[in-house]
Amino acid sequence: RSQKVIAESIPVIVTYGLDKPGMDRRGSYNTGLVMMALDELREQAEQTIADAHANHKAKRQAIANRPRYLAALRRCVSGLYANQKNNQSFSYGGGAKRGGHDMSIQQYALLGMWAAYRSRIILRRNYWNDQERYLMSLQHLDGGWSYKPDRHTSRSMTVSGIGSLAICAANIRKKRITRQTTVIHDDRGLEIKDVTNHSPNTPVEKAINHAFDWLSQHGLQTVEPYYLYGLERAATLTRTTTIDRIDWYETMATKIIARQGGDGSWSSGMGATCATAWYLLFLRRSTESYFNSEDQQPVDVKPAAPTPVPTPVPAPVPSPPELSPKSSLPPQSSPQHRMTADAGDRACGQIPS
């Protein structure tokens, strides 16, 4: 049944991307989510194309679909550009003049842009640097971020700020920020120590450490699903294992599992669909799947690589006998499985604090 639902959703996702993405009332949110789905579909198509055991029908379908996914992604990038103001903030949708900045829109727009970047779509020059500077300009003196610049710091918006800033840093530097390390002891097995980098080298590292200082006083006091999906992303992107010397994942995962309903779902003020999706993304530690992984150890973000899609081999060109016809196929990479953040944001209700 789930495969049928996914199959029926794909034309809707592609049509949105190819039509006028970003121009609807919640366009920046919707476009960011659609871009994450399109990036996942693009990668699945490339996996099928690269799979020597895939049947010919599946390969033909993947070869036909992949350009459509990329075309839709490019249109979505243009849609978000149309909603982006000169100061790097995004409107709700329908053009740059509609609505002012809020950290929730910024978060999902950047998640969409990151999806396009993973699909090797070239963004504007210095795009991540400009976003990094803008996000740092919004950080409060206490280290956190707020929904609007003139409001109080909140948990949800602080993890949005950390995660968005860490995305920019990873794409600029081609590696994640490392705040903490995991230490293995002898007969006691795995023990997580709070080995925080108290000597950050860059302004971004200092800003992120400052934000985690604020979270250490406020960060593990709620199991609200929108917040926890943001917390998972913020901690994973900065290789943070503990907050205030507490294993954030084990602590919150235990609380989430205890709240699961008999039918397998979760509920919240934003509705069961969004709550269940966000909790599953947290439990799956979905952000880690955007990175290469060996023996469960996180490693650097993957650099952009040649698009792993076979191209038709040109017919041999007549040549003297001593010459050979030339043809080439791009090398195949091995894209890793990733989970797509398919939960809505605004559509699910009021953004929590």
Side-chain angles (χ1 to χ4, degrees):
R1 181 182 176 185
S2 62
Q3 292 299 320
K4 180 181 178 181
V5 172
I6 292 172
E8 291 173 347
S9 301
I10 290 174
V12 178
I13 292 169
V14 175
T15 298
Y16 180 91
L18 290 173
D19 189 15
K20 296 179 180 179
M23 294 300 104
D24 48 304
R25 187 167 65 91
R26 292 172 174 156
S28 292
Y29 282 110
N30 293 337
T31 301
L33 293 169
V34 163
M35 291 167 82
M36 286 189 277
L38 287 168
D39 175 51
E40 176 69 19
L41 292 170
R42 182 273 313 163
E43 184 166 349
Q44 290 179 0
E46 291 178 0
Q47 288 177 328
T48 301
I49 294 167
D51 185 359
H53 302 291
N55 64 61
H56 293 299
K57 181 178 179 181
K59 280 183 177 286
R60 286 196 302 270
Q61 191 66 47
I63 291 171
N65 285 339
R66 181 187 168 280
R68 297 177 65 237
Y69 301 150
L70 288 173
L73 268 169
R74 292 188 185 96
R75 287 294 300 270
C76 286
V77 169
S78 297
L80 285 181
Y81 281 155
N83 289 340
Q84 190 171 327
K85 303 173 185 293
N86 292 335
N87 68 351
Q88 306 304 319
S89 67
F90 291 89
S91 72
Y92 288 97
K97 294 182 178 180
R98 182 176 176 269
H101 160 89
D102 76 52
M103 272 305 301
S104 186
I105 294 175
Q106 202 75 19
Q107 170 180 223
Y108 277 90
L110 286 182
L111 285 170
M113 288 299 202
W114 188 25
Y117 192 69
R118 290 194 302 271
S119 290
R120 276 86 68 181
I121 291 176
I122 298 174
L123 304 182
R124 290 174 180 170
R125 186 174 181 178
N126 297 324
Y127 186 82
W128 299 115
N129 301 78
D130 293 340
Q131 284 293 327
E132 185 179 85
R133 283 192 293 270
Y134 176 65
L135 290 164
M136 289 183 65
S137 74
L138 297 172
Q139 188 175 25
H140 291 203
L141 293 177
D142 61 8
W145 278 265
S146 57
Y147 182 66
K148 294 279 188 180
D150 58 349
R151 297 190 186 180
H152 294 298
T153 298
S154 70
R155 284 182 288 262
S156 293
M157 297 302 102
T158 295
V159 294
S160 297
I162 295 171
S164 299
L165 198 55
I167 287 171
C168 295
N171 289 324
I172 293 168
R173 297 158 183 81
K174 306 306 178 189
K175 64 179 181 179
R176 281 182 280 181
I177 290 171
T178 299
R179 295 189 62 251
Q180 297 172 347
T181 58
T182 301
V183 181
I184 297 179
H185 292 281
D186 44 32
D187 59 335
R188 290 182 296 172
L190 184 66
E191 181 177 330
I192 295 178
K193 291 291 187 181
D194 192 351
V195 186
T196 304
N197 176 13
H198 289 292
S199 301
N201 297 318
T202 68
V204 171
E205 291 175 339
K206 293 178 181 178
I208 288 175
N209 269 8
H210 193 21
F212 273 106
D213 287 342
W214 186 88
L215 275 181
S216 69
Q217 303 299 317
H218 308 87
L220 301 180
Q221 300 171 6
T222 179
V223 291
E224 198 285 317
Y226 174 91
Y227 161 70
L228 287 184
Y229 173 46
L231 174 64
E232 181 275 331
R233 182 167 55 256
T236 301
L237 283 164
T238 59
R239 289 189 174 118
T240 296
T241 53
T242 66
I243 297 175
D244 195 27
R245 305 185 70 82
I246 297 172
D247 182 337
W248 60 268
Y249 178 79
E250 291 298 332
T251 299
M252 305 314 291
T254 300
K255 294 180 179 181
I256 290 171
I257 293 170
R259 290 169 172 259
Q260 188 175 23
D263 62 353
S265 69
W266 284 269
S267 60
S268 77
M270 289 186 165
T273 300
C274 288
T276 302
W278 279 321
Y279 280 144
L280 288 175
L281 288 166
F282 178 94
L283 293 172
R284 175 64 177 77
R285 303 187 79 153
S286 58
T287 306
E288 190 64 54
S289 61
Y290 290 126
F291 298 85
N292 288 321
S293 183
E294 296 177 5
D295 300 325
Q296 304 303 316
Q297 295 301 313
V299 296
D300 294 343
V301 68
K302 294 195 305 180
T307 304
V309 176
T311 56
V313 179
V317 179
S319 56
E322 65 273 18
L323 298 179
S324 298
K326 295 182 179 180
S327 64
S328 63
L329 285 173
Q332 298 292 338
S333 64
S334 300
Q336 76 285 7
H337 172 72
R338 296 178 297 97
M339 187 177 224
T340 301
D342 57 0
D345 187 344
R346 276 285 170 184
C348 296
Q350 186 63 37
I351 300 301
S353 61

